[in-house]
Amino acid sequence: MTSPAEVISGDLPTRTGISIGETVSFPDQVLILLKYPPSSPLLTKEEFACVYFSPNTSQKSYSSPLSIDGEYLGHQIVRCEVPPRGTIASVGLKARANHDLQPGPTHDWKSLAYEALIDRDNTTVVFVKGLNLRSGRPSNASKFECVYGSGQLVLRSEVVSIAQEIVRCKTPLSILTRKPNDVKVSVKIKGRGVLGSIARPGLWAGPERPILNKHMVCVCTMLRNQARFLPEWVMYHARIGVEHWFVYDNNSDDNVEEVIGLLMDQGFKISRHVWPWIKTQEAGFAHCALRARDFCKWVAFIDVDEFIHLPYGDRLGSVINNQSSRHDVAELRVSCHNFGPSGLKQVPLEGVTVGYTCRLGIPERHKSIVRPDKLDPTLINIVHHFHLKDGFKHVNVDRNLMVINHYKFQVWEVFKEKFYRRVATYVSDWQQEENVGSKDRAPGLGTRAVEPDDWSSRFCEINDTGLKDWVVKTFSDPLTGSLPWQQE
């Protein structure tokens, strides 16, 4: 915790104009935010080195960055390994000898306001780590207050609502009239200190003017290193009626930006949002709901290994309209069928919808398609569904009309990535000896990414080729039989 005045810290300029704005320390890496002069081109990964200073000596050590990202809220992200004990992480510019940037203020990820945006009702929505609030229910807003700072100016304001990792603040009028990027916002627990902050409420949640012709159906997803699966997922859902994709990139290093660019060149409407914050899927989905609200009538929250299957071959918009004919329906809950490796040991070149055809018999959990303008202002969600405004309800969709094929247990090469880190806030990482009986985990695997001898034949109770048959019929090239997403 810090004092209100310490919420504000300036960037430290260098002779090149590039400076380190902020540094965030994660358990397994350090995230460094670089600030550039206006209109300056961003440097590439090969032009950077991670530098580790010893404060009490002139000694330094160097390593290559783990990865970088392009523009992120006016900064560029450089990811470095955790500094050796007693050192501080910074960045050096290889093209300029002895040009190591001055380290910036460092924040502990465990206690940090990390994102903020101003909603259309002029409240500020702040995303925070470190409050340790209970999942799925609002907390007592009177125990907290919001703190805004710019230079020497520090203002406090009322917390309108607080739940999980999302705080909604009453924005002071003087903040609304300033340049948002000049302001930071944080949260204070009354009687204690203020959370550290890198959150600048500079991203307005909606367009300046209302959009008259909203997309009927959009999709929000969060991914890490799923680039090779994106083309099939996007092309398939476009065919059944999805019009826009909001992709939250959670620290990918597999050229996903390039893949998204190629899909956009083919006419698909995809918005990539860099989301570097670990174990924050619920917050990311809430953030996405706010962004999508003014562009989309309905938004599906699904993963890249989840495909909405319409057994009767209907259009998705038609099914949604039929299921939500009552004005008070604001959420459709869709059951999930979990598919297994289906006897495969290598990634199927024809894609997941054609390659994996054997699943478990009983559906598990559900995913939701929601009206984002009818969500409760707290934005409470538990990944699978949101809380709705008073007076609105959900409908459980019949599996014969719509179901999600969840290709959860793929070949081991793909599945083992789930051991790296779970994205949901309230789900334990699989390496940890916590909640080992959770349905989130694969039965019998334990906490180590070691392939069982019989992995390829597990999770197979029912042979289900419904979606495969439709995909082959709809997408196959009549001359070659190939599918549009297949790699040569």
Side-chain angles (χ1 to χ4, degrees):
M1 299 287 185
T2 56
S3 68
E6 291 173 323
V7 170
I8 309 306
S9 57
D11 299 325
L12 300 175
T14 68
R15 286 176 291 136
T16 63
I18 301 175
S19 62
I20 293 179
E22 316 274 357
T23 298
V24 181
S25 178
F26 292 105
D28 59 353
Q29 61 183 245
V30 172
L31 185 148
I32 299 174
L33 297 172
L34 297 183
K35 188 172 183 180
Y36 284 70
S39 302
S40 295
L42 301 182
L43 300 181
T44 65
K45 179 180 177 181
E46 290 70 27
E47 295 176 281
F48 290 118
C50 295
V51 186
Y52 305 100
F53 291 88
S54 178
N56 301 320
T57 70
S58 60
Q59 293 182 341
K60 300 178 184 178
S61 60
Y62 297 84
S63 69
S64 297
L66 298 173
S67 64
I68 68 169
D69 260 311
E71 200 280 330
Y72 170 73
L73 301 182
H75 293 75
Q76 182 179 28
I77 292 174
V78 178
R79 299 180 182 87
C80 297
E81 295 178 355
V82 174
R85 178 170 294 187
T87 65
I88 301 172
S90 182
V91 169
L93 309 181
K94 289 184 178 179
R96 299 172 177 84
N98 299 319
H99 198 88
D100 300 330
L101 303 184
Q102 182 71 23
T106 299
H107 306 274
D108 186 349
W109 171 241
K110 296 177 182 178
S111 178
L112 185 67
Y114 58 90
E115 290 258 359
L117 54 79
I118 297 175
D119 205 356
R120 59 189 181 190
D121 63 356
N122 285 337
T123 60
T124 304
V125 180
V126 188
F127 299 86
V128 299
K129 273 285 184 184
L131 296 180
N132 300 318
L133 304 178
R134 295 190 66 178
S135 171
R137 64 180 63 181
S139 296
N140 185 350
S142 67
K143 295 182 178 180
F144 305 86
E145 64 181 353
C146 300
V147 179
Y148 294 79
S150 178
Q152 298 302 311
L153 174 68
V154 176
L155 297 174
R156 304 173 189 271
S157 75
E158 172 189 354
V159 171
V160 178
S161 67
I162 182 167
Q164 298 183 169
E165 297 187 342
I166 302 172
V167 182
R168 191 178 285 271
C169 308
K170 184 176 180 180
T171 312
L173 180 61
S174 59
I175 298 298
L176 291 172
T177 58
R178 298 176 67 93
K179 282 187 177 182
N181 284 332
D182 292 342
V183 179
K184 281 188 182 180
V185 60
S186 189
V187 176
K188 174 181 171 60
I189 305 173
K190 292 181 179 179
R192 297 171 60 184
V194 182
L195 294 178
S197 178
I198 62 170
R200 302 175 187 269
L203 177 64
W204 292 75
E208 294 182 2
R209 299 174 183 173
I211 295 178
L212 299 180
N213 297 313
K214 293 183 180 181
H215 299 306
M216 177 63 188
V217 190
C218 302
V219 166
C220 279
T221 196
M222 184 176 292
L223 57 75
R224 177 185 179 274
N225 290 345
Q226 299 285 306
R228 59 179 169 172
F229 302 113
L230 264 183
E232 177 185 11
W233 186 75
V234 169
M235 292 178 188
Y236 168 79
H237 284 101
R239 184 62 64 94
I240 67 170
V242 173
E243 298 172 275
H244 196 117
W245 293 259
F246 294 86
V247 176
Y248 276 55
D249 184 359
N250 192 216
N251 300 306
S252 297
D253 56 10
D254 63 348
N255 298 318
V256 68
E257 188 173 8
E258 179 181 343
V259 173
I260 289 175
L262 292 172
L263 288 168
M264 293 176 66
D265 290 343
Q266 297 177 54
F268 299 104
K269 297 179 180 179
I270 305 175
S271 301
R272 174 178 175 260
H273 185 83
V274 176
W275 187 262
W277 317 117
I278 65 173
K279 292 187 73 65
T280 56
Q281 188 175 36
E282 295 90 342
F285 278 2
H287 191 279
C288 187
L290 290 175
R291 292 181 64 212
R293 179 184 55 199
D294 291 304
F295 301 94
C296 314
K297 295 179 181 178
W298 290 86
V299 180
F301 291 85
I302 58 175
D303 298 332
V304 177
D305 61 356
E306 296 173 330
F307 288 70
I308 300 172
H309 177 32
L310 307 171
Y312 288 111
D314 299 319
R315 295 282 292 176
L316 181 56
S318 298
V319 177
I320 290 175
N321 281 335
N322 290 335
Q323 293 294 304
S324 61
S325 56
R326 290 175 55 100
H327 77 280
D328 58 350
V329 174
E331 177 183 24
L332 305 181
R333 295 185 178 179
V334 188
S335 298
C336 299
H337 280 312
N338 289 336
F339 282 70
S342 305
L344 301 180
K345 295 187 177 181
Q346 302 294 328
V347 176
L349 296 179
E350 64 270 37
V352 300
T353 55
V354 175
Y356 301 114
T357 57
C358 201
R359 62 171 173 83
L360 296 174
I362 300 176
E364 183 182 283
R365 294 180 170 171
H366 62 265
K367 289 298 179 76
S368 291
I369 306 174
V370 305
R371 294 171 61 183
D373 59 333
K374 305 304 180 187
L375 300 183
D376 187 90
T378 61
L379 299 173
I380 291 175
N381 69 90
I382 315 173
V383 177
H384 306 286
H385 56 263
F386 281 83
H387 285 199
L388 303 174
K389 290 179 178 178
D390 291 342
F392 292 91
K393 66 179 185 179
H394 72 268
V395 166
N396 295 316
V397 181
D398 188 315
R399 297 200 304 274
N400 293 315
L401 297 175
M402 177 162 55
V403 69
I404 289 177
N405 280 14
H406 184 187
Y407 299 98
K408 181 176 181 178
F409 306 110
Q410 298 187 34
V411 297
W412 187 258
E413 172 193 338
V414 175
F415 182 81
K416 68 181 181 182
E417 289 297 317
K418 293 180 181 287
F419 280 85
Y420 172 70
R421 183 190 292 126
R422 309 304 287 143
V423 295
T425 307
Y426 299 97
V427 172
S428 299
D429 287 346
W430 284 6
Q431 303 96 324
Q432 298 173 345
E433 293 282 357
E434 296 180 24
N435 299 326
V436 293
S438 168
K439 289 183 178 181
D440 173 69
R441 298 176 183 260
L445 278 191
T447 58
R448 295 193 302 139
V450 178
E451 181 179 4
D453 293 338
D454 63 343
W455 178 258
S456 65
S457 61
R458 289 190 178 191
F459 316 108
C460 180
E461 295 174 349
I462 295 177
N463 190 41
D464 182 347
T465 64
L467 186 54
K468 171 187 175 179
D469 295 341
W470 187 88
V471 166
V472 169
K473 178 182 177 181
T474 305
F475 287 97
S476 291
D477 185 286
L479 297 178
T480 66
S482 65
L483 300 166
W485 48 80
Q486 280 188 264
Q487 299 287 333
E488 293 185 4

